[in-house]
């Protein structure tokens, strides 16, 4: 018999639910926590103990109908279920639930690409379709479209989209390119959004808004339903593609680089999610911290300079690409080149200049939607695998970039960590991604990482910066920072939760949204 | 052109497993294991920089042991344990990602890519 139970659920109630679920999906697809296979549902990278988010069981349906039946059973037995798609968003909790004892609803077996329409340029996918699956599918069928993937190539199309993730082609704003959604509601009923609500309509993946309120966003970073299908728009393979890198000599160049880049983004000369990445993010592909220091604390500036020189990496490194007709690309390239030549010492690099360079290579592949996992080299920097991402949003301005960079680095160094960060530039804002790396087998280091992250949330909020996404353990803390007007937004989220999931069975605590009667305190 | 409900790679693989299990053909099993390796493992365990697991193993065990395919000091049992439980920087893989028959074929490929029978 399993040792863990969902909060407030008796052994008998739990056993009855598991037995009912086995009848739906088959014995082998209900994994309770006395089965060694439950190890696959751990959050293995967080700073907190894995026991704090250990699932009591996992259930793996293979169809929408099975999901509906499982949700109905969970509803009738009052079992909290935490749905995952591919469950590979490692820096944010991976496949683990928000709190110990919740049952993971693992949708990975629903991994079909249901449709690709090459005239209209869309696809409809199930939750378990990973980037590699999708890429291989497009390649196998020789379809003239690119996918857009996150840097974690083992991630999945739907999960990343629903968590507001980004990629690196011109279609890198994943939620923007999503159109049409199918959702299993907490009572097991099935709903389609937008044009999908109209019987016989073929516009489910074509027109987002349908008729009445536009509600797709309600089912992202939330726990109001279980999404079982999404439509997404596909980027046509462009006739010309020109990835490039610009290396900057000084950390202070971040200001000018950001200021000069913004008009190129707003005017869509650079249409993709461009990146400005710091030295150590790049360096981890070639070396580890232990090769430069055996002591505690962040590396000093003098060592950073030596690393930059040895591997020919900029203190900041800007990556972007141009797409389109060859003539247009070449004209735009003149503008890009002239722009960055204004920065003293800037080194402009094209693919032919860096043949065999794994850092240029993986960035170029991401910018053409080719999944890879090269960025996981970051895990080798200190070793031990621990990593959590702190990711505040700011205007894409030089002032904000410099302010955030100094603020975050100062806090990291206070707790003994290197600053390893990058700015992902969107349409007008930037996601600042700090990769907080630590040895998760070192209890003191893990605690420092946790404390560092907590201080970063507070310090950022005090400056008006909020995070766009976060790890399981910080979902409440970040939700509480979005507290204008006496917490009106979070209150509204919780009211919607009560209306759509009155039994509170769907992913309790996701992004700070708890069912009635449950609070972060009662869970912890 | 509209492609509808085409079998995914995973579905094709599942069909192949059934075939290999009945045929008991070790070479087919290894070939299937190679397919699993190339869709699930190669991004970290491929050869050279840019493959994080290769990079770490090269540092810890030397370049000769950095590429795990064909290493004679690894057993299928060990491979299966690491895949299911993870190891330091490597995450565990769930049974919904790599089924038990797929894992058998994968472990067989990694330890004996030449198709030789492995010790259990």
């Amino acid at each position: 018999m399993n040792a863990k139970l969902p909060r407030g659920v008796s052994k008998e109630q739990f056993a009855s639910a598991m037995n009912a679920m086995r009848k739906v999906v088959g014995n082998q697809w209900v994994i309770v926590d006395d089965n060694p296979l439950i190890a696959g549902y751990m959050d293995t990278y967080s700073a907190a103990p894995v026991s704090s988010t250990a699932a009591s069981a996992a259930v793996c349906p293979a169809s929408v109908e099975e999901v509906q039946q499982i949700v109905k059973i969970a509803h009738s037995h009052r079992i909290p279920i935490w749905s995952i798609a591919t469950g590979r968003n490692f820096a944010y909790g991976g496949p683990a639930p928000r709190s110990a004892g919740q049952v993971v609803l693992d949708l990975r077996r629903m991994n079909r690409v249901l449709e690709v329409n090459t005239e209209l340029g869309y696809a409809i996918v199930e939750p378990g379709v990973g980037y590699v699956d999708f890429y291989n599918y497009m390649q196998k069928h020789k379809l003239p479209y690119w996918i857009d993937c996150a840097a974690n190539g083992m991630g999945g199309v739907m999960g990343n989209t629903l968590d507001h993730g980004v990629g690196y082609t011109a279609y890198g704003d994943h939620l923007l390119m999503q159109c049409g959604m199918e959702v299993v509601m907490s009572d097991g009923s099935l709903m389609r959004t937008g044009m999908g609500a109209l019987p016989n309509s073929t516009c489910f993946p074509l027109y987002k808004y349908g008729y009445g309120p536009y509600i797709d966003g309600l089912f992202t970073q939330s726990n109001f339903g279980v999404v079982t299908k999404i439509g997404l728009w596909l980027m046509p393979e462009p006739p010309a593609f020109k990835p490039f890198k610009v290396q900057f000599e000084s950390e202070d160049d971040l200001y000018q680089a950001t200021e000069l880049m913004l008009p190129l983004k707003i005017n869509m000369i650079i249409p993709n999610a461009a990146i400005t990445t710091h030295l150590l993010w790049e360096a981890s592909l070639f070396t580890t911290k232990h090769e430069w220091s055996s002591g505690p604390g962040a590396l000093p500036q003098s060592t950073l300079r030596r690393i930059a020189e040895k591997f020919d990496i900029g203190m900041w490194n800007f990556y972007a690409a141009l797409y389109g007709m060859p003539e247009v690309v070449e004209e735009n390239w003149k503008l890009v080149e002239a722009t960055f030549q204004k920065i003293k010492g800037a080194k402009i690099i094209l693919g032919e200049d860096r043949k065999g360079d794994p850092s240029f290579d993986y960035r170029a592949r991401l910018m053409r939607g080719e999944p890879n996992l090269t960025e996981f080299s970051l895990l080798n920097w200190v070793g031990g695998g621990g990593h959590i991402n702190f990711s505040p949003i700011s205007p894409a301005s030089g002032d904000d970039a410099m302010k955030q960079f100094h603020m975050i680095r100062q806090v990291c160094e206070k707790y003994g960590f290197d600053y390893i960060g990058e700015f992902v530039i969107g349409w007008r804002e930037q996601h600042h991604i700090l990769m907080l790396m630590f040895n998760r087998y070192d209890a003191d280091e893990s605690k420092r990482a946790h404390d560092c992250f907590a201080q970063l949330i507070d310090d950022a909020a005090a400056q008006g910066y909020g995070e766009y996404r976060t790890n399981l353990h910080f979902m409440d803390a970040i939700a509480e920072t979005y507290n204008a007007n006496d917490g009106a937004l979070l209150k509204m989220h919780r009211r919607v939760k009560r209306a759509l999931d009155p039994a509170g069975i769907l992913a309790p605590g996701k992004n700070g949204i708890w069912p009635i009667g449950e609070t972060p305190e009662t869970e912890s | 052109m509209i492609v509808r409900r085409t079998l995914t790679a995973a579905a094709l693989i599942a069909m192949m497993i059934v075939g290999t299990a009945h045929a008991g053909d070790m070479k087919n099993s290894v070939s299937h294991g190679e397919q699993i390796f190339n869709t699930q493992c190669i991004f970290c365990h491929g050869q050279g920089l840019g493959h994080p697991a290769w990079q770490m193993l090269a540092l810890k065990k030397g370049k000769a042991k950095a590429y795990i395919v064909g290493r004679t000091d690894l057993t299928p049992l060990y491979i299966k344990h690491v895949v299911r439980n993870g190891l330091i920087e490597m995450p565990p893989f769930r049974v919904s990602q790599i089924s038990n028959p797929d894992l058998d074929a994968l472990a067989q490929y990694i330890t004996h890519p030449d198709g030789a029978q492995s010790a259990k």
Side-chain angles (χ1 to χ4, degrees):
Chain A
M1 184 61 197
N2 67 300
K4 294 183 196 68
L5 290 169
R7 196 176 70 88
V9 174
S10 70
K11 281 185 181 178
E12 294 71 24
Q13 190 182 349
F14 186 77
S16 169
M18 292 302 108
N19 284 335
M21 290 181 187
R22 285 187 186 98
K23 287 178 184 159
V24 175
V25 298
N27 287 342
Q28 66 172 315
W29 297 114
V30 174
I31 301 158
V32 294
D33 80 348
D34 59 355
N35 183 335
L37 291 172
I38 201 72
Y41 295 90
M42 291 187 302
D43 171 13
T44 50
Y45 294 118
S46 286
V50 293
S51 59
S52 62
T53 54
S56 57
V59 182
C60 314
S63 68
V64 177
E65 294 73 22
E66 288 186 3
V67 173
Q68 290 180 273
Q69 291 182 65
I70 295 297
V71 170
K72 283 178 185 169
I73 293 165
H75 189 272
S76 63
H77 288 74
R78 296 296 189 267
I79 303 291
I81 48 175
W82 180 272
S83 54
I84 61 169
T86 58
R88 307 309 262 179
N89 54 340
F90 294 121
Y92 300 104
R98 167 65 185 84
S99 55
Q102 294 177 350
V103 173
V104 176
L105 181 63
D106 179 352
L107 305 178
R108 171 63 178 155
R109 292 176 68 215
M110 297 167 65
N111 61 356
R112 293 178 304 167
V113 178
L114 296 171
E115 180 180 348
V116 174
N117 185 305
T118 54
E119 278 80 38
L120 293 163
Y122 70 78
I124 299 176
V125 299
E126 292 189 318
V129 175
Y131 290 125
V132 174
D133 303 325
F134 198 24
Y135 178 80
N136 287 344
Y137 182 95
M138 302 296 275
Q139 294 293 306
K140 180 182 169 189
H141 294 286
K142 300 185 181 357
L143 303 177
Y145 287 90
W146 284 356
I147 73 160
D148 188 284
C149 57
N152 171 7
M154 293 304 282
V157 178
M158 183 186 293
N160 185 276
T161 301
L162 298 184
D163 211 20
H164 303 174
V166 299
Y168 304 92
T169 74
Y171 280 37
D173 184 341
H174 291 162
L175 191 56
L176 187 67
M177 297 302 165
Q178 174 267 329
C179 183
M181 198 176 266
E182 180 185 85
V183 188
V184 174
M185 306 305 291
S186 73
D187 60 359
S189 61
L190 193 65
M191 178 195 69
R192 284 193 170 193
T193 64
M195 299 305 292
L198 182 70
N200 302 319
S201 171
T202 55
C203 293
F204 170 73
L206 300 179
Y207 180 65
K208 285 169 173 262
Y209 311 117
Y211 183 76
Y214 172 59
I215 61 167
D216 289 39
L218 278 177
F219 300 99
T220 70
Q221 289 200 357
S222 74
N223 47 15
F224 304 147
V226 178
V227 183
T228 48
K229 284 184 188 71
I230 58 169
L232 59 142
W233 295 337
L234 300 171
M235 177 176 167
E237 185 175 345
F241 165 60
K242 192 177 185 100
F244 63 94
K245 175 185 185 185
V246 188
Q247 286 184 189
F248 302 106
E249 287 181 337
S250 162
E251 287 183 338
D252 291 339
D253 289 337
L254 176 64
Y255 174 86
Q256 201 180 359
T258 309
E259 290 287 302
L260 290 173
M261 171 277 310
L262 185 57
L264 298 175
K265 279 291 301 176
I266 287 184
N267 289 289
M268 298 180 75
I269 302 297
I270 293 175
N272 70 324
I275 302 287
T276 312
T277 184
H278 192 255
L279 169 78
L280 293 182
W281 195 296
E282 297 270 290
S284 67
L285 271 69
F286 305 99
T287 186
T288 66
K289 184 169 189 171
H290 299 298
E291 293 182 75
W292 301 88
S293 167
S294 56
L299 294 180
Q301 278 289 312
S302 57
T303 304
L304 298 186
R305 283 264 159 231
R306 285 165 52 214
I307 292 173
E309 282 167 23
K310 178 171 180 181
F311 297 105
D312 190 14
I313 303 170
M315 295 305 282
W316 289 104
N317 304 272
F318 179 77
Y319 286 96
L322 304 181
Y323 306 81
M325 298 301 292
E327 300 81 3
V328 175
V329 165
E330 284 315 304
E331 278 304 307
N332 286 342
W333 176 244
K334 290 175 195 167
L335 186 57
V336 169
E337 213 172 14
T339 298
F340 287 112
Q341 279 169 347
K342 292 176 187 167
I343 301 177
K344 189 184 169 196
K347 193 187 285 186
I348 298 172
I349 295 161
L350 294 171
E352 52 264 36
D353 305 322
R354 286 292 171 94
K355 282 183 181 156
D357 174 351
S359 59
F360 191 100
D361 177 68
Y362 98 87
R363 292 284 185 186
R365 284 192 281 142
L366 289 177
M367 289 189 284
R368 62 173 184 260
E370 191 180 319
N372 62 76
L373 272 171
T374 299
E375 203 161 279
F376 270 49
S377 302
L378 282 160
L379 299 189
N380 297 335
W381 179 246
V382 292
H387 67 290
I388 40 181
N389 285 6
F390 179 72
S391 38
I393 299 291
S394 82
S397 77
D399 279 335
D400 284 286
M402 292 302 292
K403 190 171 158 186
Q404 280 207 359
F405 167 53
H406 288 304
M407 177 183 74
I408 291 175
R409 178 148 82 176
Q410 191 177 20
V411 175
C412 284
E413 291 184 349
K414 172 184 163 186
Y415 287 92
F417 298 107
D418 292 310
Y419 169 83
I420 305 177
E422 69 175 12
F423 291 87
V424 184
I425 299 119
W427 298 107
R428 281 156 178 79
E429 54 66 48
Q430 51 194 358
H431 297 44
H432 187 179
I433 312 290
L434 168 74
M435 192 70 82
L436 186 55
M437 311 301 305
F438 57 93
N439 180 356
R440 67 188 167 98
Y441 296 95
D442 181 325
D444 171 66
E445 203 168 307
S446 296
K447 182 178 185 310
R448 279 189 284 117
H450 192 279
D451 293 347
C452 177
F453 201 101
Q455 183 177 340
L456 285 168
I457 293 169
D458 292 341
D459 287 5
Q463 301 287 330
Y465 299 127
E467 286 67 57
Y468 89 103
R469 184 183 187 188
T470 198
N471 179 277
L472 296 168
H473 298 282
F474 297 98
M475 285 181 171
D476 295 316
I478 289 176
E480 293 292 343
T481 66
Y482 284 78
N483 59 10
N485 301 312
D486 194 26
L489 181 64
L490 189 53
K491 286 177 183 172
M492 192 279 281
H493 288 162
R494 289 177 178 168
R495 281 203 297 272
V496 174
K497 177 69 175 170
R498 285 168 207 162
L500 296 183
D501 178 20
I505 57 160
L506 301 180
K510 172 82 175 166
N511 283 65
I513 307 169
W514 291 94
I516 192 164
E518 290 188 48
T519 66
E521 290 72 31
T522 57
E523 276 295 314
S524 63
Chain B
M1 174 188 167
I2 297 176
V3 183
R4 285 184 191 274
R5 295 185 184 275
T6 304
L7 284 172
T8 60
L12 288 168
I13 286 164
M15 291 170 66
M16 289 177 65
I17 293 164
V18 173
T20 53
H22 285 300
D25 183 331
M26 193 59 69
K27 281 191 176 172
N28 282 349
S29 175
V30 168
S31 165
H32 177 57
E34 184 177 13
Q35 269 188 296
I36 302 296
F37 185 85
N38 287 338
T39 53
Q40 301 277 1
C41 315
I42 200 165
F43 303 99
C44 283
H45 283 284
Q47 299 192 60
L49 287 178
H51 300 96
W54 184 93
Q55 180 193 16
M56 184 49 100
L57 287 168
L59 276 170
K60 285 190 172 172
K61 296 186 175 293
K63 287 185 180 175
K65 287 191 170 179
Y67 186 57
I68 59 172
V69 175
R71 261 178 61 176
T72 54
D73 58 336
L74 301 176
T75 65
L77 194 63
Y78 177 76
I79 296 291
K80 288 192 269 190
H81 178 81
V82 170
V83 169
R84 287 290 182 237
N85 294 279
L87 180 65
I88 314 176
E89 291 88 3
M90 176 178 158
F93 282 70
R94 310 188 305 274
V95 70
S96 60
Q97 297 170 288
I98 300 179
S99 69
N100 287 331
D102 282 2
L103 185 53
D104 287 340
L106 175 66
Q108 177 66 28
Y109 169 70
I110 290 172
T111 54
H112 293 85
D114 56 358
Q117 179 72 51
S118 62
K120 296 292 178 190

